Amino acid sequence: MNDRPLKIAVIAGEVSGDLLGADLIVGLRKLHSGPIELVGVGGEGLQGQGLTSLFDFSELSIMGITQVLAKLPKLVSRIRQTAAAIVAAKPDILLIIDSPDFTHRVAKRVRAALPDLPVVNYVCPSVWAWKEYRAQRMLAYVDHVLAVLPFEPEAMQRLNGPQTTYVGHRLIADPALLETRRRRDGRQPGNGPILLLPGSRSSEIRKLLPYFEAAANELVARNGPVRFILPTVTHKEALVRELTAGWAVKPDIVVGAEAKWNAFAEADAAMAASGTVILELALADVPVVSAYKVDWIMRMLTSGIKTWTGALPNLIADYAVVPEYLNDIVRGASLARWMERLSADTYQLKAMKEGYELIWQRMRTERPPGEHAAQIVLDVLANKKPGHP
């Protein structure tokens, strides 16, 4: 089957998933000599690999139950549209990437219409954090899970979910991250800027920036002039500039991936929104404190969360490497004092660096993640269910 045409249905709901999907398709083209056709939903990365997206995937970039409820009618319509298009296309395999509120609902509909179609799920849903029952339910519509965190295969096995393989995280092979690690190697703390990373969604930015402002003011009051850098993305630049316009201590706002990695290379420490960026900082060897504030509905549901931490580095290390502040505990004064400890040669900094090295070793893989993921997709295709053409 190495040279026959392949039609792959792929659904990515966010930028991170789109990048993962594109990386997998690049790996697939290295391993499969035949033509590859893509159908489904994705962004610039997958479109660069030949996908014509059914609609603008930014419609799916929503967060929090309140946002989901507000956009529910449109989401239901897009789920039906996407499933119908995939069923009509009759692909060889369906690849769903992250965004489980959308991608899993599509997969269920497709599996009902095409029961023999193999389905691969790239990025393990956080069943280990809450709603553990989802793992076993996935058996009905997912054949294999490609995990990006090393503890997830064991978690899925414990929860009786689908077969799961750790393929590695794209960050461990990211050239920009590797170059940032090289630039920071041997770097001594002190005299570097402090990074402010309030997230990439408007709701995150609005909730966290007031606390980052308070932390900046506290740091300057206690230590004299401090330089702050606030990396952001193009479509959030105007909002960030508006919200920081009245700050007494003005951060340098930089835009784009290159500027972000340069800021990572220079920084003494960072305060950041809980999420993938915390893992980026840990792998790039930038000391960080995590902060987050959720909407009111999520606060009511926190009793259902099973995991002991929301910081990915802590889950990978299996102990508290990165300090966390959540909801009412977020205080600018606390963040400021952590920045002081992490910007100097302290026991706290040494302990965090030790944790970072453990995380790096646990996440390393012999094969690039995209290629490993692509090989599993081919393996799943080679072992199709009986009766599939």
Side-chain angles (χ1 to χ4, degrees):
M1 63 168 279
N2 199 42
D3 59 355
R4 73 173 180 84
L6 282 183
K7 183 184 287 187
I8 299 176
V10 58
I11 314 168
E14 296 204 34
V15 173
S16 58
D18 178 63
L19 292 172
L20 287 174
D23 191 37
L24 186 152
I25 299 302
V26 169
L28 202 56
R29 294 190 193 281
K30 293 178 181 178
L31 299 173
H32 184 80
S33 56
I36 296 174
E37 178 186 352
L38 303 180
V39 296
V41 178
E44 291 182 4
L46 283 166
Q47 289 170 28
Q49 292 301 313
L51 174 69
T52 300
S53 186
L54 295 170
F55 54 87
D56 185 345
F57 86 142
S58 66
E59 292 182 25
L60 307 178
S61 183
I62 57 178
M63 187 171 187
I65 292 176
T66 51
Q67 289 189 36
V68 171
L69 291 175
K71 297 187 177 183
L72 190 58
K74 187 63 173 287
L75 278 173
V76 171
S77 173
R78 290 306 194 191
I79 288 167
R80 290 172 176 165
Q81 174 193 359
T82 305
I86 290 171
V87 170
K90 293 183 171 61
D92 294 291
I93 194 167
L94 170 59
L95 175 65
I96 57 174
I97 310 173
D98 211 354
S99 305
D101 287 335
F102 184 83
T103 61
H104 285 230
R105 285 174 169 81
V106 173
K108 290 176 188 176
R109 284 177 169 267
V110 173
R111 175 54 65 86
L114 300 174
D116 295 323
L117 180 70
V119 179
V120 173
N121 180 187
Y122 200 169
V123 181
C124 180
S126 53
V127 292
W128 35 265
W130 74 316
K131 294 184 179 179
E132 294 179 338
Y133 60 83
R134 292 178 296 161
Q136 196 164 7
R137 288 186 178 179
M138 287 170 61
L139 291 169
Y141 58 91
V142 170
D143 297 294
H144 204 110
V145 177
L146 308 177
V148 300
L149 299 172
F151 61 85
E152 290 176 322
E154 185 278 331
M156 286 294 277
Q157 183 178 28
R158 173 174 55 82
L159 297 171
N160 299 312
Q163 184 177 355
T164 302
T165 303
Y166 173 59
V167 297
H169 198 291
R170 66 175 182 84
L171 288 172
I172 62 175
D174 186 291
L177 187 143
L178 295 174
E179 173 61 15
T180 302
R181 280 180 63 88
R182 186 196 65 77
R183 290 173 63 182
R184 292 187 64 84
D185 187 33
R187 184 185 181 280
Q188 298 302 308
N191 302 316
I194 299 296
L195 301 187
L196 309 177
L197 293 152
S200 58
R201 296 180 176 88
S202 298
S203 58
E204 293 175 322
I205 294 168
R206 292 183 185 278
K207 286 185 175 79
L208 284 180
L209 272 184
Y211 297 94
F212 287 3
E213 178 187 13
N217 290 339
E218 182 94 0
L219 269 171
V220 170
R222 288 166 61 91
N223 302 281
V226 178
R227 183 186 173 204
F228 297 92
I229 301 180
L230 199 167
T232 190
V233 291
T234 303
H235 62 285
K236 298 301 178 187
E237 180 183 3
L239 174 64
V240 167
R241 291 193 183 279
E242 174 192 341
L243 294 175
T244 59
W247 285 23
V249 180
K250 293 276 193 293
D252 295 331
I253 298 169
V254 299
V255 181
E258 183 178 357
K260 180 192 81 171
W261 289 114
N262 281 333
F264 277 28
E266 295 177 33
D268 268 350
M271 56 188 89
S274 179
T276 303
V277 71
I278 302 293
L279 184 58
E280 285 185 347
L281 290 158
L283 294 176
D285 201 37
V286 182
V288 63
V289 174
S290 173
Y292 210 70
K293 294 183 76 70
V294 298
D295 60 39
W296 65 273
I297 294 182
M298 280 302 296
R299 289 195 188 203
M300 294 173 61
L301 299 175
T302 53
S303 61
I305 296 175
K306 303 297 185 183
T307 186
W308 61 274
T309 176
L312 293 175
N314 295 350
L315 287 166
I316 295 164
D318 198 30
Y319 75 91
V321 176
V322 172
E324 297 175 275
Y325 290 89
L326 180 67
N327 294 332
D328 295 338
I329 302 175
V330 179
R331 294 284 188 276
S334 297
L335 298 175
R337 283 162 175 79
W338 267 111
M339 293 303 96
E340 290 173 350
R341 302 306 297 169
L342 297 176
S343 297
D345 187 14
T346 62
Y347 288 115
Q348 288 88 345
L349 178 62
K350 289 183 175 69
M352 188 173 288
K353 295 271 191 175
E354 181 180 303
Y356 281 2
E357 180 57 27
L358 173 64
I359 292 160
W360 180 259
Q361 294 302 325
R362 288 189 173 175
M363 293 195 69
R364 289 180 66 183
T365 57
E366 294 183 4
R367 195 171 191 181
E371 289 186 24
H372 193 178
Q375 183 61 63
I376 292 174
V377 167
L378 291 176
D379 291 344
V380 171
L381 274 166
N383 291 283
K384 284 181 178 177
K385 295 179 180 178
H388 194 78

